[in-house]
Amino acid sequence: MPECPELHLAGRYINRACGALVFSGGVERSAVGRGPEVPFSSEAYRISAAARGKELRLTLTPLGFAGAPQELVFRFGMSGSFRLCSAADIPRHAHLRFRTRDSPPHVLCFVDARRFGSWRLGDAWQEGRGPCVLSEYQAFRENVLENLDDRAFDKPICEALLNQKFFNGIGNYLRAEILYRLKIPPFEKARTVLEALKEQERRRKNPSLTLSKKLKLMRENPDILELCHTVPMEVIATEKNLYDADHPDNYTAFKSWLQCYLVPGMSSLRDRNGRTIWFQGEPGPMAPKGQAPRKKRAQVESDPEAVTPNVPPRALRRCPRAAAKPPVPAEEEEEEAGDGPRKGRARRRRNAAAAPALPAPEAQVKAERRRSSARRGRGTAPAL
């Protein structure tokens, strides 16, 4: 799922790619987009973007005095992104489209294959979200340390890190990387972890310390709130949209950057919200009861000299997709889809259990009829 680095990179991409472009006409919406129609049209307007936490705001500004700007706030869901392309190459799942007036025209598209992303009209950020861990770091830090009595901090630290009221922009992969670097058990109580920062904060505000000494202390002993800022900044520093489907090398670079999330050898557990947390070592005193940590195994790389088994053509005809597309790793699919109830399997088991058994004579008659039909199909006369 795109987290605050991906939203900020999307904002940079829009400002760079569209800064010199002039757009024209109305905003086109697909029939299945999860957002309202945009009541805006202009003969000439520009587009700019700004990100905050897990939200991105687009501003459509008419040129001259042709009307008031229109603003939209986006949430990317599981797979949302923006893409500028030619009008002839609009991608599938482009749910909102902005056309330029140049020739040939280009289109800025909000693309979301899984359709969890959405947008709303207006410039207001979502109510209840705290300061952004990236762009509003000092306000974010104060908001956490001044509200440690909140019930949100009665929970394990891994669950508190996903609370957007205090950690706006942190998601599943970031929380795993932050806790791993500080060697904090994910199921340690959040208040226990964060209250220790108050004393550290007082030491840093000591007037006898020079600015250089304060900076040295911060570099040598970063705390969890600082890593909520610096770890996302590492992703942004790559200047790559790691979720860009058109550039699979970006995702390869992302996987090599990860130290804990989905990394072989790391353990995982489901938190009380059903999200998988990756960690190393002990889970902590608030770990869910009845769960045993699972360890990710290293995937064996295929041997290029290995003999490829001969697959019968008939088997390929039965499932051509399996031959053409490798299976999705189970861990990544779980992160995307969650651990929802498997209704189909349960229904089949219930039907099987509820089906009444046939009486013995009737079952024998039906079995004999099937055998007779099979013999006639092979051209063999039944025995008299």
Side-chain angles (χ1 to χ4, degrees), residues 97-258:
R97 301 178 290 275
F98 310 84
R99 292 181 181 267
T100 66
R101 69 175 185 182
D102 55 355
S103 182
H106 288 76
V107 185
L108 178 67
C109 305
F110 176 63
V111 183
D112 184 15
R114 302 192 66 181
R115 293 193 326 201
F116 286 103
S118 61
W119 62 88
R120 61 183 183 276
L121 304 178
D123 63 346
W125 303 112
Q126 185 181 20
E127 188 177 355
R129 286 183 176 268
C132 175
V133 298
L134 278 172
S135 59
E136 303 165 307
Y137 171 68
Q138 198 56 44
F140 148 71
R141 186 178 184 91
E142 292 171 0
N143 185 44
V144 172
L145 294 178
E146 292 173 3
N147 292 283
L148 289 181
D149 292 336
D150 194 279
R151 290 166 53 187
F153 300 109
D154 292 334
K155 298 181 178 182
I157 186 64
C158 66
E159 295 178 16
L161 283 171
L162 296 186
N163 188 328
Q164 302 300 295
K165 179 180 177 182
F166 297 104
F167 298 89
N168 186 11
I170 300 297
N172 212 26
Y173 83 77
L174 285 175
R175 69 168 177 172
E177 296 299 311
I178 291 166
L179 295 175
Y180 169 78
R181 295 189 187 193
L182 294 173
K183 296 181 172 53
I184 297 175
F187 291 95
E188 184 65 65
K189 191 173 184 178
R191 188 175 292 108
T192 303
V193 173
L194 294 166
E195 277 184 340
L197 303 186
K198 285 188 171 181
E199 178 60 31
Q200 188 175 333
E201 196 80 356
R202 280 194 290 270
R203 287 200 305 270
R204 289 182 179 178
K205 290 181 179 179
N206 186 340
S208 64
L209 288 177
T210 63
L211 179 60
S212 61
K213 287 184 178 179
K214 290 179 181 179
L215 293 174
K216 184 179 179 183
L217 276 174
M218 291 173 64
R219 283 195 303 267
E220 293 177 351
N221 302 290
D223 60 46
I224 187 170
L225 299 182
E226 288 167 352
L227 262 63
C228 286
H229 175 74
T230 58
V231 172
M233 286 299 295
E234 290 179 15
V235 181
I236 289 178
T238 64
E239 291 289 342
K240 295 178 180 178
N241 184 353
L242 302 176
Y243 285 89
D244 189 348
D246 288 342
H247 298 88
D249 290 345
N250 289 358
Y251 187 62
T252 301
F254 175 62
K255 290 182 74 174
S256 67
W257 172 82
L258 292 170

Side-chain angles (χ1 to χ4, degrees), residues 270-287:
R270 295 275 187 185
D271 64 20
R272 289 169 179 80
N273 298 318
R275 305 289 301 276
T276 301
I277 174 68
W278 294 86
F279 61 95
Q280 186 180 52
E282 293 299 319
M286 299 183 74

Side-chain angles (χ1 to χ4, degrees), residues 343-358:
K343 297 180 181 178
R345 295 184 183 180
R347 191 179 293 118
R348 287 196 296 271
R349 285 197 296 270
R350 286 198 300 270
N351 290 345
L358 292 172

Side-chain angles (χ1 to χ4, degrees), residues 255 264 296-304 306 326-327 329 331:
K255 290 182 74 174
K296 182 173 174 63
R297 298 178 181 177
Q299 294 183 358
V300 180
E301 295 185 2
S302 59
D303 183 0
E331 293 85 354

